[in-house]
Structures are given as C-alpha cells and as structure tokens.
Amino acid sequence: MTAVTTALLALAACGRGSGGEEAAPAPGPSPTPYHERTASVARLSPVQISKHLARTTGLTMVFTSNGYSFDLVSDVLGVTLGGVDFSTVSEYDPFPKVQSLMALRVLAWNAAGLLVVNALKGKRDVFPGPDLVLVSPKVDRTRWKEVLTELYLRLYSRPPSKEEADAVEATFRRVADNEEGNAAAAWLMVTYALLCTGEFWNI
Amino acid sequence: MNRNDPGHPQSGGAMNSARSGRIDRRTLLKVTGSCFAAAGFSTFAGVTGNRGAVGAPQRPRNFVHIHLRGGWDALLGTDPLDEARFSSDAFDVNYKGTAPSAVVGKDSLLVGAGLAPALAAFTALPTAFVNGLFNEVTGHALAENYMYTGRQSLSATRVFPSLAAIVGQVWGGAPSHVVFGASVPLGETAFSNPPIMAPNIDLFAKMIAKPDISQAKFKAGDSLAAGNELVAQLDKLHRARLPADASAFHEPWTASRLALEKIHAGSFDRSFALTDEVRTRYGIEDNGSIEALLAAAFTTLTSRFSRVVTVNMAGFDTHTEHFDTHLPLLSRFATALDVFASDLATTEDPAQEGRTLADTTLVYITSDFTRTPTLNAQRGTDHWPSGSAILMGCGVADGKVFGKTDARYRPMGWQGNKAVALTDATRLSPERVSASLLATLGLAKEAQALSPVRLEGLFV
C-alpha cells in the first residue's frame, strides 16, 4: 500500500468518525486564509510558512530588487512546499511529500542556526540572550527548563508537557556530551528538532 | 541502505562477480578498457555474448525513459538509408555518403552513422527499433508531450502524465520517480507522486543531502541523528494528544518523514558524487551533460534510490549545419549509451541477486519527431511528421524492427508485423507503443486506458 493510499484511507476514516457513527458533515469554507484539512488541522501555504518562520524565528528570506520584493521561500521553494498555486495543489492532494520535508528541514536548519548564532551575538529574538543559550541542565536545570518553556511558547504557543521536556532534555544531554559540553551546539540541535516537527508546520 | 550494504554502489557488492558469476566491470575495464578506449572501440567488446540470462524472462522492475529533446535524425540512427532507397531523390546526398552498419548477430537492425558508437550495446542487450511512428504534430511542446505520455493532446490546460510518471505512481516508493534534465509532463502525478527533479547531478545530490552540519563544527555525526530521533519522539507525543481526525492527518506527514530519514540514512548524495573513474568512463566534462545524466540514471538504479528514471537531453533541434551539429551530438549520446548499457549488463541488480540490471530494466529512447531528409537553406534540417524509438533491455523482442518509412521517408501503415498502406486503421501510433510498454511493465489497466490496440510482438 502506498503512502498516498494510506493517507487517503486515513482521511476517509476521519470522515466516518468512530464507532460506526454517521459521517460528520465536511467542514464548510474556511473563514481563515489557512487550508483546513479537517476540523482540527490546517496546512500552511508557502507564503504562510515564510511569515511563520519570520515571526517565530526571525528568519526572513525576503529581498528587494528594483523596488520589487521577492520571498525566496515562496518563489524558490513554493512548488516543493505545495505549489505556486497552493490552493489547487492542496485541493488535489493536501499531503506533504518527501520533497516538502527536504525543503522544510533545510529551512529549519537555517532558522535554528540563525537563532542560536543571533543569541550568541546578543540579539534578542527567540532566545533572550547569550547567557541563556549557554544554559545547560547539568549546571542549572531549573533555568534550563525556563528557557525551554520560553522556546516552546514562541514556537508552539504552549509550554512543553513533562514527556516532551524529558525527551528534549535527554537529547540535549546526549548532544552536549557528544560536543564536549557545548551547550550552544545542543541548543542548536534541539531548536532544529523543534522546528522540524509536524506541529510546527501544521496548525 | 548504508555503504556496507551489498547493494550500495560504493560497497563493491553490486559488482561482486564471484557471487553473480558475471564478469566484473572493474576487471573488464582493467583488462580491456584502456586499449579499447585508445582504439575508439566500444567498452562492450569484451562483454558481448556474456550476458546470459538467468532463469525465465521476468517482467521489468526498473524503467528508464531517455528523451532526446528537439527531434532526432532517424536517418542517422534507427532508420538509415538502405539499398532500396539509396537512389531516391528524397534524401540529401550526405545521407548517401555512409553505408549503414548492421548490428552483429541482429541483421535486421541497421544503424546510421550517428548511433554507430552504440552498436555493441545493441548487440549485447535485447534491442528493438520502432520506425515510421505516425505523428502529425511537429511543434516541439506538443510532439514532446506526445512521446512522453503516449497521448496526443492539443489542450494547453490539460497535461497528461508521462509514461514514467504513471509507472512511478503505480509502483510507488518515495520518491516514486526521478527526473534528470528538463521537466517532464506530470499531470495529476505532480500532486500525488511528484518526482525529484534536477537539471544536473550536482543539484540533485545537494537536494537529497542531509542539512549540512559541517559549518556548525559538530564533533560527532551522532548529534544530527539525536536531533532527528527527537523529531520522531515529539511527533509521536504530539499525535497522541490530538483528536482522531487531526492525528490521522499526520499519518502522511509521518510517512514522508520516514522516507526522508531513509534517504538521509542511505547517504544517497554520496552515491551521486561522481568519482573520477565514472567521469573518465563516461567522458563527463559537465555535470549537466548527456554523459553525466546517463551516469546519474545508472546510479539511481544501483543505489536503489528509485526504480523509475527519466533522462531528457536537449540540443537535437539542429536547424543549421545539421551534419556538423546533429551528427556529433548523436554520436556523443550513442557513446554514452554504450557505457550506460555496458554498466547495466555487467552490474547486478541490487534487488535481484543473480540478475544484471540489463535483465531487469527496460530502457525506452524517444525524441520529439524525426527530421527532414533534405537540408534547408542553412544546411540544417527541420521537423518531419514521423517518429522513431528504441527499446532495450528486459522483455524487448530482440533484433526486431517495427514500422517502416517509405521511399520518400513517409510513415507507412503497420499491420500483422508487416508494412502496409497507411490508413487510419493501420497507422503505427505512439499510443500503440506506449500501451504495449505499460502492459509489459505490469500496468494493464493504464495500458488499456491509453489504447486498446497494441504493437504485437514488441515484447516477449
């Protein structure tokens, strides 16, 4: 069974509801600019992805030439992320492809790098400053959790659950151990991971 | 797959002659390559006749569509002047300057000067030619799409998927289809099963590489793995909290993530980094050249990155100085095709132990249309309303020529495997060839949708 077939079956199952209940009516036209796939999930368009990244991480990929603005996320990665004509593409097949994730991972990596480097330079975007990006759970676990919560609030608009905080901490410690205790390297990898999740790219 | 897996091209396993019982390509090249190259002979000279099939014929499990953009000259390729047409005034005198070459052991296959460098490849692999394809459209975009898709459409808004895109969609995989060179018509598969496309092999390798962590000066490669494992953990925790409909929505997201991790874990980008040995063997000077794109197609199969590849090569639309431009270009293609076919014949299919890639791969070579048999005022050739194609590899009826052009190079009808007068009922259309091809690839439903009429005998 292909991934697409699985996906379509999953979507069909959504419509049927649980326990053999009658299919719920399809949601009406969205009052928002997002593309709602179910009552609970919407996938971002390339333009929205660009704005989402700029708002949450400070990574802007817009440049101006001869008075015209170009958004590299939309213009260069637009097709990969869902198509120039995102509405049409989304109607045909709303699901991301491996190519979409390739592009998102690269964007996530660039955004994570920018965040950590900016923090080390003292610029305030997501991380409040260089001292915090250097915080490690080995040294000050309470403060480290506060930084993680701040990061979660900025990226996901919610604090982490206990399980999530534990998973992130385990990864942080593993990377820090790998990198001779370098907390900035561990924050970079953790931030990259947080930017790669389905939750960040689908609302 | 990692580099230690037997099928990985850098492991040496694919060439394991001891296991496959075939001649090892490296050994072959070591022994024969240099002297053949120096003498201008084919790299196939030592392989011919050594390809013995293992067991009963099988259905192809790999498909490679090579399209030469712009319209090729079949008089220099699959449909050269034979004695019967030698005295016809329909052909430029330059075509009469060289006698066609017969493929060794396959007397029916006559090859013009442009494809002569691939003679040994046609000997070694099951090969069939199709000439006199009926094609009334001679505008590039329409004709190209016709040959890609097997459907003639004059619509500017309705795009049908190419044969390779259909095969990729049905066979599945992520990616289901790879395209090297310019883009191809995808139809609805652009949404459901988009290929990974790149104009050259460098960009392709960059596209499938992991995020470049080298600039971050990480000391341990394990750090990126830790990050990716965290992504999977967080996705799982997130989905557990979601309502059922939203959780189901993330299924394909997870499937894509797993596919991407497989690509990254396989370090496929390294497979597509051309070694000096490959560059020398294919004669690659430019990473977007004919030679490089064919090398990339071969790597796609050996690395198991995808089973379906389209390669398209531009430059064949030679409206000026035809014999100084088209002939060398076609010869370059034939030389690269010879190496590509040699690679297929001497390399074990990583997914089919005991079978070479030539045993499991169907290669379909097309162009927009053929070219006028006379020269224009600029000594070039123009578009001619006919087509031709080459089929090689698994399942192909060896040594056969289907279709025919007449004494004035016009397509004839084809019925009962004989040339007959051209009528609506007898014309040999690309639909017939394409439907036969899809059927032999196991896509009976798609073949039927394309055309109920097949080209009988094209495949065994």
Side-chain angles (χ1 to χ4, degrees):
Chain A
M1 188 182 293
T2 66
V4 171
T5 313
T6 309
L8 289 171
L9 288 174
L11 190 62
C14 298
R16 283 198 299 275
S18 58
E21 292 169 12
E22 198 172 323
S30 170
T32 71
Y34 299 111
H35 286 270
E36 295 186 3
R37 304 315 318 171
T38 74
S40 314
V41 182
R43 187 178 164 201
L44 301 178
S45 73
V47 173
Q48 288 160 345
I49 284 172
S50 179
K51 289 180 178 166
H52 189 40
L53 271 177
R55 191 175 59 248
T56 53
T57 72
L59 177 67
T60 57
M61 296 181 73
V62 177
F63 72 95
T64 305
S65 175
N66 293 329
Y68 293 97
S69 283
F70 297 93
D71 184 340
L72 291 180
V73 174
S74 296
D75 294 349
V76 178
L77 297 174
V79 173
T80 308
L81 293 173
V84 173
D85 181 1
F86 184 81
S87 300
T88 306
V89 172
S90 194
E91 287 310 314
Y92 270 100
D93 186 345
F95 302 115
K97 300 296 176 296
V98 68
Q99 292 90 326
S100 316
L101 265 66
M102 279 180 188
L104 295 183
R105 292 268 166 121
V106 172
L107 285 175
W109 182 255
N110 288 339
L114 188 80
L115 284 175
V116 173
V117 168
N118 280 352
L120 289 171
K121 285 179 181 171
K123 290 184 183 172
R124 299 169 69 88
D125 33 46
V126 175
F127 291 110
D131 54 331
L132 294 185
V133 85
L134 297 174
V135 170
S136 164
K138 265 189 179 173
V139 179
D140 187 344
R141 192 158 182 259
T142 307
R143 189 74 189 110
W144 182 86
K145 280 200 167 179
E146 286 173 9
V147 176
L148 180 66
T149 302
E150 194 168 337
L151 192 56
Y152 254 81
L153 286 171
R154 179 63 71 99
L155 300 184
Y156 299 141
S157 303
R158 64 172 180 84
S161 66
K162 184 182 179 310
E163 293 89 347
E164 287 168 332
D166 288 347
V168 172
E169 184 177 343
T171 303
F172 190 101
R173 286 175 184 270
R174 179 174 156 192
V175 176
D177 286 348
N178 278 344
E179 308 299 331
E180 299 173 354
N182 184 344
W187 274 118
L188 172 57
M189 197 52 76
V190 162
T191 310
Y192 162 71
L194 293 177
L195 288 170
C196 286
T197 60
E199 183 175 2
F200 185 72
W201 298 107
N202 299 280
I203 57 172
Chain B
M1 174 185 292
N2 62 46
R3 294 174 69 183
N4 295 322
D5 286 342
H8 197 285
Q10 292 173 12
S11 71
M15 314 293 178
N16 191 333
S17 58
R19 192 176 59 187
S20 68
R22 285 182 172 69
I23 189 164
D24 180 290
R25 189 179 59 179
R26 283 184 195 282
T27 311
L28 171 76
L29 285 167
K30 203 171 172 183
V31 175
T32 63
S34 55
C35 59
F36 284 134
F41 290 150
S42 161
T43 51
F44 252 118
V47 186
T48 305
N50 198 24
R51 195 197 59 82
V54 177
Q58 284 192 340
R59 189 169 275 172
R61 63 172 308 280
N62 304 305
F63 178 50
V64 179
H65 188 169
I66 301 168
H67 188 80
L68 308 182
R69 302 186 74 197
W72 67 354
D73 186 351
L75 286 169
L76 296 173
T78 60
D79 193 14
L81 280 192
D82 52 15
E83 284 183 19
R85 297 190 292 183
F86 212 72
S87 56
S88 168
D89 63 356
F91 301 90
D92 183 82
V93 68
N94 282 286
Y95 289 112
K96 299 174 184 175
T98 56
S101 310
V103 176
V104 175
K106 304 174 186 178
D107 294 343
S108 300
L109 298 185
L110 291 178
V111 174
L115 286 184
L119 274 171
F122 299 142
T123 302
L125 265 65
T127 301
F129 294 163
V130 182
N131 292 320
L133 279 168
F134 186 83
N135 182 3
E136 283 180 308
V137 292
T138 53
H140 286 295
L142 292 174
E144 188 178 67
N145 281 2
Y146 193 15
M147 296 306 291
Y148 268 129
T149 66
R151 288 176 190 268
Q152 191 171 41
S153 169
L154 301 179
S155 166
T157 53
R158 178 74 172 96
V159 178
F160 293 103
S162 70
L163 299 174
I166 295 171
V167 175
Q169 184 180 42
V170 174
W171 284 1
S176 56
H177 178 199
V178 169
V179 178
F180 295 108
S183 60
V184 299
L186 297 171
E188 61 273 15
T189 68
F191 312 118
S192 60
N193 296 72
I196 292 186
M197 294 195 278
N200 66 51
I201 197 164
D202 283 340
L203 281 176
F204 186 81
K206 280 179 187 161
M207 216 175 347
I208 61 175
K210 295 176 205 174
D212 181 9
I213 66 166
S214 59
Q215 289 179 345
K217 299 193 169 99
F218 278 102
K219 292 181 175 58
D222 178 53
S223 293
L224 184 60
N228 286 333
E229 283 168 26
L230 179 59
V231 177
Q233 278 179 284
L234 295 177
D235 274 347
K236 196 173 171 187
L237 289 169
H238 176 56
R239 282 189 58 187
R241 280 199 315 275
L242 292 173
D245 62 341
S247 182
F249 177 81
H250 281 270
E251 285 282 356
W253 179 275
T254 306
S256 290
R257 180 170 54 73
L258 292 174
L260 181 63
E261 282 169 12
K262 202 172 163 191
I263 289 172
H264 285 169
S267 297
F268 287 101
D269 54 313
R270 284 188 231 160
S271 304
F272 285 91
L274 298 179
T275 62
D276 289 344
E277 188 262 337
V278 172
R279 285 182 183 284
T280 304
R281 197 151 43 83
Y282 275 84
I284 296 168
E285 292 180 359
D286 178 286
N287 286 338
S289 65
I290 287 174
E291 295 83 359
L293 298 184
L294 278 178
F298 175 66
T299 304
T300 305
L301 301 180
T302 54
S303 64
R304 299 180 71 175
F305 188 73
S306 179
R307 293 161 60 197
V308 184
V309 188
T310 298
V311 178
N312 56 47
M313 306 165 170
F316 289 86
D317 192 25
T318 49
H319 287 282
T320 57
E321 299 300 336
H322 183 68
F323 284 92
D324 292 335
T325 52
H326 199 99
L327 181 56
L329 189 62
L330 197 55
S331 296
R332 256 184 69 192
F333 164 68
T335 305
L337 177 67
D338 183 67
V339 182
F340 176 68
S342 168
D343 279 349
L344 294 182
T346 54
T347 304
E348 188 177 68
D349 185 330
Q352 295 265 297
E353 192 169 338
R355 289 182 178 273
T356 66
L357 281 166
D359 296 330
T360 59
T361 304
L362 175 60
V363 182
Y364 183 41
I365 304 169
T366 57
S367 189
D368 304 7
F369 32 67
T370 57
R371 306 196 72 80
T372 51
T374 52
L375 300 188
N376 60 25
Q378 288 78 43
R379 300 190 52 73
T381 55
D382 301 318
H383 307 175
W384 188 251
S386 177
S388 61
I390 301 172
L391 292 116
M392 299 174 77
C394 180
V396 174
D398 196 14
K400 300 278 179 62
V401 181
F402 299 85
K404 191 172 168 61
T405 51
D406 66 12
R408 303 199 71 77
Y409 201 41
R410 294 166 303 203
M412 297 180 71
W414 189 258
Q415 201 168 43
N417 271 335
K418 280 192 297 192
V420 296
L422 181 67
T423 66
D424 285 351
T426 63
R427 64 191 188 189
L428 179 49
S429 67
E431 283 90 339
R432 281 173 73 180
V433 178
S434 303
S436 307
L437 187 145
L438 289 179
T440 206
L441 290 170
L443 280 67
K445 194 177 77 177
E446 289 73 14
Q448 192 64 21
L450 196 56
S451 171
V453 186
R454 308 285 159 78
L455 179 49
E456 297 303 329
L458 182 58
F459 296 100
V460 292

